[in-house]
Amino acid sequence: MLKAILHGKAGRIDHNEGESVSWSSLFKAREDLLTSTIFERFAYLSACLQNYLLNQCFANSHGATPVSFGEFEGITYWPRFTHEHGAGSNQVEPDLIIHFDQCNIIVEVKPPAGGDQYFGQWKKEIESFLQVEENRGKPLYFLAVGRVHVSGVEQWKAQLFEDFSLLNSIGTISWQDIVNQLIELQLQDGERVCIRDKRVIADMLKALGLYGLKISEFKWEDLLNNTLPKLMLTHKTLSKTNRGKPCTSNQQLLVEHAFPNIDLTLIKTWMINKND
């Protein structure tokens, strides 16, 4: 399906009382499609690459991150738990649980252009998961992906880590940081990242590109830090007749104009002014 969307072959679908929308537009609007597309492919990655990516996701974490999360067992999508609390109970639905033989990881996903992560949701998901007795047998990790640059996140981590003794670590990472990690892996030689893993990573990057994330390794500083030659306008080329027709008076004025050289280093000034 992803390939059909990327190549404009997925067609359209009736949505919201007969409104016709493209699958591409629907894909961008639904966080559940992002969640399934990326983490389904995560499941296909080799064990060493899964472990590497998770360690990167928990690089900015509160608590201890293991050297290895163990053997991958599978992923449960949108599980439902009953959250028991003082005022009664309600249903809680994390985006997914990644199961390893040595631990479980609750993952809460927010799309790049969606709403922010928030403390109350994190606490309900962790608490309701641990209220199920069979879930208490393994160490628990919590990972928030996307929309994590909000005020108070570090205080949330510290509070939850204090509240739940079975919670080993809380990690947060933006989608662009995940993209950057995938790009770096894509550029590695075949000894570190096998061809099969690179194919999976390529699919993940293309899917994330649909959300407007920067999926190319090109960076502005690569251009700005290079010494670029000046471009010269070749006046004699302009003086040639246009398809055999003589130059008009306006064309002649253009030819005889003393054009200044174009200095590409001015791009650096433009970028500085743009970022101010």
Side-chain angles (χ1 to χ4, degrees), residues 98-153:
I98 306 177
H99 304 281
F100 290 89
D101 64 344
Q102 297 179 19
C103 67
N104 290 309
I105 305 173
I106 299 174
V107 182
E108 179 55 37
V109 174
K110 299 295 183 189
D116 291 335
Q117 301 276 354
Y118 58 98
F119 175 79
Q121 186 177 28
W122 293 10
K123 184 172 182 178
K124 288 177 183 178
E125 290 178 0
I126 294 168
E127 191 165 45
S128 62
F129 180 83
L130 291 175
Q131 284 175 351
V132 179
E133 186 174 354
E134 65 187 51
N135 291 338
R136 302 175 197 163
K138 297 179 185 178
L140 178 63
Y141 297 85
F142 184 89
L143 175 62
V145 180
R147 308 295 294 179
V148 295
H149 299 301
V150 292
S151 176
V153 165

Side-chain angles (χ1 to χ4, degrees), residues 77-265:
Y77 293 92
W78 307 291
R80 288 196 173 188
F81 302 107
T82 300
H83 180 223
E84 305 284 351
H85 50 84
S89 65
N90 59 283
Q91 295 295 303
V92 176
E93 186 180 274
D95 285 307
L96 59 121
I97 313 291
I98 306 177
H99 304 281
F100 290 89
D101 64 344
Q102 297 179 19
C103 67
N104 290 309
I105 305 173
I106 299 174
V107 182
E108 179 55 37
V109 174
K110 299 295 183 189
D116 291 335
Q117 301 276 354
Y118 58 98
F119 175 79
Q121 186 177 28
W122 293 10
K123 184 172 182 178
K124 288 177 183 178
E125 290 178 0
I126 294 168
E127 191 165 45
S128 62
F129 180 83
L130 291 175
Q131 284 175 351
V132 179
E133 186 174 354
E134 65 187 51
N135 291 338
R136 302 175 197 163
K138 297 179 185 178
L140 178 63
Y141 297 85
F142 184 89
L143 175 62
V145 180
R147 308 295 294 179
V148 295
H149 299 301
V150 292
S151 176
V153 165
E154 295 307 315
Q155 288 78 11
W156 301 353
K157 293 179 185 178
Q159 182 63 54
L160 292 171
F161 194 71
E162 183 178 334
D163 290 347
F164 300 103
S165 59
L166 290 177
L167 185 62
N168 277 27
S169 184
I170 303 174
T172 54
I173 189 168
S174 72
W175 279 113
Q176 189 59 57
D177 285 339
I178 288 178
V179 166
N180 295 342
Q181 292 295 331
L182 294 174
I183 290 172
E184 286 188 19
L185 290 169
Q186 191 76 320
L187 296 174
Q188 297 293 324
D189 59 37
E191 291 186 3
R192 179 174 180 185
V193 182
C194 69
I195 295 298
R196 186 191 66 180
D197 280 341
K198 286 191 175 186
R199 289 179 184 140
V200 176
I201 290 170
D203 265 8
M204 294 169 80
L205 286 171
K206 287 174 182 176
L208 290 167
L210 290 171
Y211 287 84
L213 294 163
K214 179 183 171 296
I215 61 172
S216 168
E217 70 271 18
F218 174 80
K219 298 177 182 178
W220 271 110
E221 52 264 33
D222 295 335
L223 176 64
L224 300 179
N225 293 336
N226 277 281
T227 303
L228 299 170
K230 294 180 179 180
L231 284 179
M232 301 287 291
L233 291 176
T234 309
H235 298 172
K236 63 181 180 180
T237 302
L238 294 175
S239 67
K240 293 180 179 179
T241 58
N242 184 16
R243 295 185 179 179
K245 299 178 181 179
C247 293
T248 65
S249 57
N250 287 338
Q251 287 175 322
Q252 191 61 39
L253 290 173
L254 178 64
V255 170
E256 294 174 354
H257 194 284
F259 291 104
N261 296 336
I262 297 176
D263 188 350
L264 293 184
T265 58

Side-chain angles (χ1 to χ4, degrees), residues 52-66:
Y52 173 81
L53 285 172
L54 285 174
N55 271 282
Q56 297 306 306
C57 288
F58 282 92
N60 180 30
S61 65
H62 191 100
T65 304

